[in-house]
Amino acid sequence: KMMFMLLASPLEAALQSALVARLKDGYAGHAAAAPVPGSHALWHPSLRGLGKNGRHRQSSLQEAASTPHAEGIALPFFRVAANQSLALQSAALQALARLPAPVCTLGVVGTARDGKSSWLNLYAEWLQKAWATNTPHAHTPGFAVDHKVFGAGTTGAWLRAFSGVDGLPLPGTQCSSVALIDTQGLKGKQARGLLNLVSLALFTSSTVSLNVMYQLNEDALERLRAVILHARTMLPAEAFSGESPNLLVLLRDARRAVLQHEGRSLHPNSMLHRALQPMGDRLDVVRESLCTLFPNRSMMLMKQPEREDLQQMEDTRMLDEAGPFYASFAETAKRATETLQPKVVGGVPLSGELLAATVSSLTEQINADDGSTISLQRTVLALMQQQARSAVAAARRVFRQLAPRVDASASLLVALPMASLELSLRNATQAAYSEFMSRLPQLDHRASTWLQPYGEQLQLVIEAEVNQRRQAHAHAARLAAVSAAERRLRLEREEQHDGFRRMQQPAQQDQQERMNIGEVMSNIALLAVAASSVLASGGFVETVCPALKAVPTFVAGFGVWRARQKVKRWARDVVSSMREVIWPTLREHPA
């Protein structure tokens, strides 16, 4: 296994071992995914930004934790706009993003006004009786049901999300969360927006329930023809790469003649098999597409309700559990639960946050309508890669915020003892790994191996950051040692200079005394000459020594020269004293 041995402390070793356990060996290595329209979406703990309107969607999705609890409530999921594009609804996307992994999605499609919403409402009530969920109320608002004969029925797609208390899975399944998707019914000539809507529901469902009234015959297949062919054109040849959703055909109100063949009762799965056999007509492409898209398919039957049952569902959305119709429904609910499976793409069981990001990216790709095929695997991989890169970047930011800072010259801004530096680096490393783990997608442990390269990348980054700071600390220690040595040598030179000066001081004092005596004697001689020149009469001076007349001028000039020498010697002494005081200070604190 990959071992992170960045620091030797037991605490960090335990932390790194936990990271190693998450990033298991066996990473198969995915090729870098080509750019996917809208694949720049990120999420943590909810989605960060989704597509061209990423900032708006980011802010709305990040409010998921603070919005009122919407679990179990029917929410509009996406609708068809006037220009036939799909518009995601933020409230449903937030509810989906909150679901823990693994998430099982059950999407119901079929013709309009054939009871899809009613069955889903009954199934939601049945789920909450069989499973302890986090739904805040016993009876939450369900999917809207239009009981009018010529009513519009369901418009767009709607979502109800459920999760088990304390992560408890739905009994008999691996589903920690269940998302129910109700879609607009197919009728008449179907517009492109409706085809896109139903196709998106097929792509995001792990189990697809096809609601059929009376018989899966040519008329039922004809109504499916447009949407099935539309979905096939949008998907690559290997649409789900071995991770196809289950298909559960709910045959309702079937007549007795339909349930028999040559006087013998037919098993529902045999009926489905017979209905999808090639017949040599234009519907063979629908039969072949259903078999290709849904290799795991089955059929279940549901009795026709009595008038009392219909009235009771219209009034209370509930059924008499002792009646035969409820017993028939309960069998279909159990069968539907058995077909539930986690939504898996590329071997990754999707969490709610990753599924929400995938739905958003798929919506942008569908709305782009550029003729390119849609790859679920490529979309999910691109999203996970981007989130992992975001997790590495966030971990680096946390480390740099907590670790000792370095300047542009790779020097520590604050001097620290080695023990304090190691403690700071250890804490920063622990916080960085924790941030990295918290920002990773919530995946099943079986799908965590793809994270290993990003863990290795984070390890290398932190190693480089730590080594940089250790080298800066070592450089600072070397500079401090050199500075201390320089100060020590300077002090030694100063001590030697002081000793030499003390040794010369007696000789200098003797020399000074002799100079002072010489100056005194010269002054007396000059004074005597000057006095004789003054006291002698003018005729005597001119007769005996005419040069004595210039003595006063000479004495005055000599006095000025001696005064200048005194000032010069005094200035030299002052400068020397100042140099002895200021020069050491300048060497200790250079500019």
Side-chain angles (χ1 to χ4, degrees):
K1 293 184 178 181
M2 178 184 63
M3 297 302 296
F4 296 102
M5 298 305 296
L6 180 60
L7 297 177
S9 69
L11 177 61
E12 189 165 47
L15 173 67
Q16 294 168 346
S17 298
L19 185 58
V20 171
R22 178 73 182 268
L23 309 178
K24 294 183 177 180
D25 288 336
Y27 175 67
H30 295 283
V36 177
S39 65
H40 50 283
L42 296 177
W43 64 100
H44 176 267
S46 58
L47 303 177
R48 294 195 179 282
L50 301 171
K52 298 178 181 178
N53 299 323
R55 293 184 180 178
H56 172 71
R57 297 184 189 178
Q58 171 183 356
S59 60
S60 63
L61 286 169
Q62 288 180 332
E63 295 172 358
S66 59
T67 53
H69 205 297
E71 183 161 315
I73 300 175
L75 300 170
F77 196 7
F78 36 86
R79 60 180 178 81
V80 179
N83 61 355
Q84 298 301 305
S85 65
L86 299 182
L88 279 172
Q89 307 300 301
S90 61
L93 207 59
Q94 292 168 14
L96 183 61
R98 278 194 293 261
L99 296 179
V103 179
C104 300
T105 52
L106 173 62
V108 178
V109 299
T111 53
R113 304 195 52 74
D114 280 347
K116 300 186 303 298
S117 302
S118 297
W119 186 88
L120 277 175
N121 284 332
L122 291 175
Y123 183 66
E125 297 294 335
W126 183 89
L127 269 184
Q128 295 178 76
K129 293 178 181 178
W131 183 30
T133 67
N134 292 309
T135 306
H137 306 291
H139 301 290
T140 53
F143 297 110
V145 177
D146 189 354
H147 295 283
K148 297 179 182 179
V149 175
F150 299 103
T154 301
T155 57
W158 290 68
L159 174 76
R160 292 185 74 177
F162 301 91
S163 62
V165 174
D166 298 328
L168 181 69
L170 174 63
T173 71
Q174 300 177 2
C175 310
S176 296
S177 307
V178 174
L180 306 179
I181 302 175
D182 187 17
T183 61
Q184 182 174 334
L186 305 172
K187 58 181 178 181
K189 185 178 180 180
Q190 298 149 14
R192 184 174 185 82
L194 179 58
L195 297 178
N196 287 336
L197 182 146
V198 178
S199 298
L200 181 58
L202 294 177
F203 299 160
T204 57
S205 297
S206 60
T207 298
V208 176
S209 177
L210 176 58
N211 190 77
V212 178
M213 292 296 290
Y214 308 127
Q215 185 178 359
L216 184 59
N217 54 13
E218 288 78 3
D219 181 59
L221 293 176
E222 181 63 37
R223 296 189 182 188
L224 289 174
R225 181 175 180 275
V227 68
I228 292 298
L229 294 182
H230 184 72
R232 284 298 302 272
T233 59
M234 296 171 63
L235 292 172
E238 294 293 330
F240 298 102
S241 299
E243 298 164 337
S244 301
N246 293 329
L247 175 64
L248 182 62
V249 179
L250 175 59
L251 183 60
R252 306 176 60 170
D253 303 355
R255 301 295 187 264
R256 182 181 297 274
V258 176
L259 304 178
Q260 293 182 349
H261 178 67
E262 296 180 354
R264 294 180 299 176
S265 297
L266 288 175
H267 189 276
N269 288 343
S270 299
M271 296 172 57
L272 177 61
H273 177 74
R274 288 170 55 87
L276 297 182
Q277 291 301 305
M279 300 295 292
D281 55 17
R282 66 191 299 265
L283 295 178
D284 279 351
V285 65
V286 180
R287 299 183 182 97
E288 186 271 335
S289 296
L290 287 174
C291 294
T292 301
L293 292 174
F294 308 104
N296 300 320
R297 53 192 180 272
S298 58
M299 177 182 282
M300 57 185 179
L301 305 178
M302 185 171 172
K303 294 181 179 295
Q304 182 175 3
E306 301 294 338
R307 184 183 300 274
E308 294 79 7
D309 298 321
L310 295 175
Q311 187 64 42
Q312 190 176 17
M313 284 191 293
E314 181 177 354
D315 295 339
T316 64
R317 291 194 305 145
M318 304 293 292
L319 282 175
D320 181 9
E321 298 185 8
F325 177 68
Y326 184 85
S328 175
F329 157 75
E331 288 298 321
T332 63
K334 293 177 182 177
R335 184 72 185 93
T337 302
E338 293 173 358
T339 63
L340 290 180
Q341 60 179 355
K343 182 61 179 178
V344 177
V345 177
V348 178
L350 304 187
S351 63
E353 58 181 357
L354 185 52
L355 180 58
T358 303
V359 170
S360 179
S361 180
L362 291 175
T363 302
E364 289 195 0
Q365 295 177 62
I366 291 174
N367 288 338
D369 193 19
D370 54 5
S372 60
T373 59
I374 295 176
S375 171
L376 285 173
Q377 291 76 16
R378 185 160 54 94
T379 299
V380 172
L381 179 59
L383 291 169
M384 291 193 303
Q385 287 177 338
Q386 184 158 358
Q387 187 178 8
R389 289 192 293 268
S390 175
V392 172
R396 292 184 63 181
R397 288 193 299 269
V398 169
F399 182 88
R400 290 176 176 176
Q401 290 171 359
L402 298 180
R405 298 180 61 187
V406 295
D407 58 16
S409 61
S411 300
L412 290 175
L413 296 180
V414 179
L416 291 174
M418 190 62 184
S420 298
L421 176 66
E422 291 296 332
L423 178 60
S424 177
L425 292 177
R426 185 165 59 250
N427 293 338
T429 301
Q430 178 181 358
Y433 282 147
S434 298
E435 181 71 11
F436 175 72
M437 299 299 292
S438 67
R439 286 182 173 266
L440 293 177
Q442 301 174 9
L443 303 176
D444 186 271
H445 68 278
R446 295 169 298 177
S448 61
T449 55
W450 72 273
L451 295 171
Q452 181 172 340
Y454 299 97
E456 293 173 347
Q457 178 185 356
L458 178 61
Q459 176 202 8
L460 295 176
V461 167
I462 292 184
E463 281 181 347
E465 297 279 359
V466 169
N467 290 335
Q468 181 188 27
R469 284 155 178 79
R470 287 176 172 168
Q471 291 173 1
H473 184 275
H475 180 66
R478 287 193 297 270
L479 290 179
V482 171
S483 178
E486 290 179 350
R487 287 195 300 271
R488 185 172 63 254
L489 292 175
R490 186 168 54 253
L491 291 175
E492 291 177 355
R493 287 196 303 269
E494 291 175 355
E495 290 177 357
Q496 292 176 357
H497 180 70
D498 292 342
F500 180 73
R501 188 168 49 194
R502 285 193 298 270
M503 292 174 60
Q504 289 182 332
Q505 189 172 6
Q508 292 176 350
Q509 290 178 351
D510 293 341
Q511 184 180 2
Q512 187 66 33
E513 289 178 358
R514 289 194 298 270
M515 291 177 61
N516 292 339
I517 294 173
E519 288 181 358
V520 171
M521 296 302 295
S522 62
N523 291 337
I524 294 174
L526 287 174
L527 181 62
V529 174
S532 62
S533 66
V534 173
L535 294 177
S537 61
F540 176 79
V541 170
E542 291 178 356
T543 303
V544 177
C545 185
L548 289 178
K549 294 176 63 176
V551 167
T553 302
F554 171 76
V555 171
F558 187 73
V560 171
W561 178 81
R562 288 181 63 85
R564 178 178 175 275
Q565 292 297 106
K566 284 281 188 179
V567 172
K568 185 177 180 181
R569 189 182 306 119
W570 175 81
R572 186 185 302 113
D573 294 340
V574 170
V575 170
S576 178
S577 300
M578 292 178 65
R579 182 180 300 171
E580 291 178 357
V581 174
I582 297 176
W583 182 249
T585 304
L586 293 178
R587 289 182 60 85
E588 291 180 0
H589 304 284

